[in-house]
Amino acid sequence: MTTPLPATLTEGRVSEQLKTLALPLVWGLMATMSLNAIETFFIAQLGREPLAALSFTFPIIMVLTSLGIGLGAGTSSAVARAIGEGDSSKARRLATDAMSLTFIISASVCLLGWLTLEPLFLALGATPDLIPLIRSYMAIWYFSAPCLMVPMVCLSALRAMGMSQVQGYLMGGAALLNVLLDPILIFGLFGFPALGLQGAALATLITRALMLIVALYILHARVHMLVNPFLPWEKLKKSWMTIVEVGVPAMVANVIIPFASAIVVAMVAAYGTDAVAALGIAMRIEPLALIVFYALSGVVGPFFGQNFGAGKLERLYEALRVLTVFCLVFGVLLAVVLGFLGAEIAGLFGDHAEVVTITATYLMIVPISYGAYGLVMAVNAAFNGLGRPWPAMMISAGRVLYVYLPLAWLGQHWWGMAGLFVATALANLLLGLWAWLWLRKHIRQQAIPAEP
């Protein structure tokens, strides 16, 4: 007889639970973002060519990471709802099958990427002289990708159980180990050979492999979440479909975000190099400002999933109220801080007057909408947790296609580059309101009993 998995998120004060769940992810995300910045700094010391080669790898890494995020969202939603329903056997089955599905997908995609490495990066615009550098990095990175994606799904299963602190610890520990290994393997310290870009990829592979081992150990030996992965095809297919029906739309919604960023960059490019440089600075500052919202969206899905599975709709109403108040209040705080200190913050990245001015303008206008954007992220995560991924995808797609693009055209026509920033803020505000109304209506519909 297996131990029941407790629905830890269906009791207690809602605001306190969301805070307790989100805080560990804040520190984990900060550690991961710091790692990315530090690793880029190390690579920059090797020269312009290695840095350019690394830059060409970002789109591929982003797509594979988005795939992992989507599968993680599907796993978290399905497992959380099963736990809320009190069906521990189903939750364990789903978590185990999610691991096998993720491994098969990640290994297949990465093998394809490894075999098509040169034509793929030439198609992305890399020059032939950069291909050897790109190959030295990606040939190893591709092998590390399953060690990235499978732990992402493992940690999503743990979040579904209300154990987000484990993810925070693992992300922080992995980032620290990666930062320690990077200079040793890149520059050849302590007697190791200097491997350059290859060393950075090797450090990533070692870190992720250890993270995979630890995550699987916790799931199997500590919380007894994994079961026999071999079962009849029909049952396995049903389990995989439960994960994919949320995972695929979540992945698409996640890919839309960098697509929107690419559109903004393309429009700003018309105003010159200084404008693009300024936008680049603003887009480095923005993720740090939004890190609390990212962490919150990571725990909203499991909370909504467990409580929906347990039929505790009153806690969903309360969670929506708490999220709304927090996002709007914290968003106003961010807008005030960035509005007053935007020029000083931009000055930390350089002293070119035009670049600083444009960055400060962005940070004066767009952060006004950060609270609404945080609410959009929370609502999308809530819909995924409820097993309703299509509203989340429509909200994300609508923000870019139906709202931002028309507003950007009008804003650019009326106010030039500042109009593009105004369009971004208006799109966030309008989509925040739309997302909030949609989720509130959906919860209300779930509370109305079906007619016999």
Side-chain angles (χ1 to χ4, degrees):
M1 181 178 178
T2 56
T3 306
L5 299 173
T8 57
L9 306 182
T10 59
E11 302 291 342
R13 189 177 175 188
V14 171
S15 58
E16 189 65 27
Q17 282 193 325
L18 290 173
K19 182 183 77 171
T20 303
L21 288 169
L23 276 177
L25 288 187
V26 171
W27 305 121
L29 287 169
M30 286 183 66
T32 301
M33 289 184 179
S34 300
L35 163 66
N36 292 336
I38 293 170
E39 187 170 71
T40 302
F41 171 78
F42 287 147
I43 297 299
Q45 308 313 302
L46 299 175
R48 296 177 62 185
E49 289 78 11
L51 188 60
L54 184 68
S55 299
F56 274 109
T57 69
F58 289 159
I60 304 302
I61 293 173
M62 178 189 67
V63 169
L64 291 174
T65 302
S66 297
L67 182 58
I69 291 172
L71 290 168
T75 302
S76 177
S77 173
V79 173
R81 281 178 281 137
I83 291 173
E85 293 165 1
D87 194 340
S88 297
S89 296
K90 180 180 178 182
R92 288 188 170 93
R93 180 78 267 158
L94 287 166
T96 302
D97 295 341
M99 306 302 153
S100 61
L101 175 63
T102 304
F103 177 78
I104 292 170
I105 291 176
S106 60
S108 301
V109 170
C110 293
L111 177 61
L112 178 64
W114 192 82
L115 293 173
T116 61
L117 193 150
E118 183 170 342
L120 174 62
F121 282 96
L122 288 174
L124 289 173
T127 55
D129 59 300
L130 287 179
I131 293 298
L133 285 170
I134 294 173
R135 182 181 294 280
S136 72
Y137 184 83
M138 289 302 292
I140 296 175
W141 191 94
Y142 274 132
F143 283 107
S144 76
C147 297
L148 165 69
M149 294 170 63
V150 175
M152 288 174 72
V153 174
C154 289
L155 296 174
S156 296
L158 290 171
R159 282 205 315 274
M161 299 175 64
M163 298 176 64
S164 62
Q165 70 275 14
V166 176
Q167 180 169 1
Y169 296 145
L170 281 178
M171 290 174 71
L176 177 61
L177 177 60
N178 212 145
V179 166
L180 293 174
L181 289 175
D182 267 336
I184 295 173
L185 297 177
I186 292 172
F187 304 119
L189 304 181
F190 308 117
F192 284 86
L195 299 175
L197 268 177
Q198 199 173 39
L202 189 58
T204 299
L205 174 60
I206 293 170
T207 301
R208 288 177 178 171
L210 290 174
M211 189 175 179
L212 172 61
I213 292 169
V214 173
L216 289 175
Y217 169 78
I218 293 171
L219 269 179
H220 180 65
R222 297 291 297 276
V223 298
H224 310 291
M225 195 70 175
L226 300 182
V227 294
N228 184 358
F230 302 104
L231 71 164
W233 166 244
E234 287 302 321
K235 292 182 179 180
L236 184 63
K237 178 182 175 183
K238 181 180 179 182
S239 189
W240 283 356
M241 289 304 297
T242 303
I243 296 160
V244 167
E245 69 181 7
V246 172
V248 171
M251 181 189 70
V252 174
N254 196 67
V255 170
I256 288 170
I257 296 172
F259 174 68
S261 299
I263 293 174
V264 176
V265 171
M267 289 184 167
V268 169
Y271 296 92
T273 304
D274 285 346
V276 174
L279 183 64
I281 293 173
M283 294 177 80
R284 286 181 177 87
I285 296 168
E286 192 167 75
L288 294 174
L290 298 175
I291 198 166
V292 172
F293 293 139
Y294 292 138
L296 193 61
S297 67
V299 301
V300 165
F303 182 91
F304 270 70
Q306 276 200 23
N307 284 281
F308 179 69
K312 297 193 174 184
L313 301 182
E314 72 283 354
R315 288 175 62 80
L316 303 187
Y317 276 116
E318 176 63 12
L320 180 58
R321 185 192 69 80
V322 170
L323 290 169
T324 303
V325 172
F326 175 81
C327 288
L328 296 182
V329 171
F330 190 70
V332 168
L333 177 63
L334 286 176
V336 171
V337 171
L338 293 174
F340 278 107
L341 301 179
E344 286 75 11
I345 295 172
L348 297 174
F349 293 83
D351 56 0
H352 195 293
E354 184 67 17
V355 173
V356 170
T357 300
I358 296 171
T359 303
T361 302
Y362 182 98
L363 295 177
M364 179 71 72
I365 297 171
V366 177
I368 293 171
S369 67
Y370 279 172
Y373 186 45
L375 194 55
V376 169
M377 286 191 276
V379 168
N380 284 351
F383 272 122
N384 286 333
L386 295 171
R388 290 287 307 278
W390 292 105
M393 196 188 80
M394 289 180 65
I395 290 168
S396 296
R399 175 176 172 267
V400 179
L401 301 176
Y402 312 130
V403 181
Y404 173 72
L405 287 180
L407 288 176
W409 185 85
L410 291 173
Q412 189 177 38
H413 179 72
W414 289 336
W415 300 305
M417 184 169 55
L420 295 176
F421 303 157
V422 171
T424 300
L426 284 176
N428 289 339
L429 292 168
L430 290 172
L431 265 295
L433 178 60
W434 180 31
W436 183 84
L437 291 171
W438 197 345
L439 181 58
R440 188 182 67 164
K441 179 182 178 182
H442 180 72
I443 296 172
R444 182 180 298 158
Q445 287 174 339
Q446 298 303 312
I448 299 173
E451 296 183 5

